[in-house]
Amino acid sequence: MEDAVQEEWLAHIAPSEAILGVEAAAKEHRQAGHRLDKTVAASNAAGASWADIGRAAGISRQAAHERWADK
């Protein structure tokens, strides 16, 4: 009986546990995005080209310029 209750409880909380994982991953994603924005700004200020920045970020020169030129 105790095992059945524990299994039911675990099934009940599984969605909440999964959401905690989503929240943690989203937070890490935001933090990584902020770090990327900062390092791109520093690279640009140091004279790196948009082509080099794009290549390092895995995107085109034009995409890099459009994403970060006004930041």
Side-chain angles (χ1 to χ4, degrees):
M1 176 74 170
E2 188 175 315
D3 288 341
V5 171
Q6 185 175 9
E7 285 181 29
E8 188 174 332
W9 175 250
L10 292 175
H12 174 73
I13 65 169
S16 296
E17 296 271 323
I19 291 298
L20 291 175
V22 171
E23 289 173 345
K27 180 179 178 182
E28 292 170 11
H29 185 265
R30 283 190 305 276
Q31 290 171 338
H34 291 308
R35 280 194 315 273
L36 180 58
D37 290 346
K38 284 182 165 185
T39 57
V40 166
S43 296
N44 184 253
S49 70
W50 288 115
D52 290 337
I53 292 169
R55 189 170 23 268
I59 59 178
S60 70
R61 171 204 60 79
Q62 182 176 353
H65 184 266
E66 288 173 3
R67 180 170 175 180
W68 290 297
D70 63 346
K71 291 188 178 189

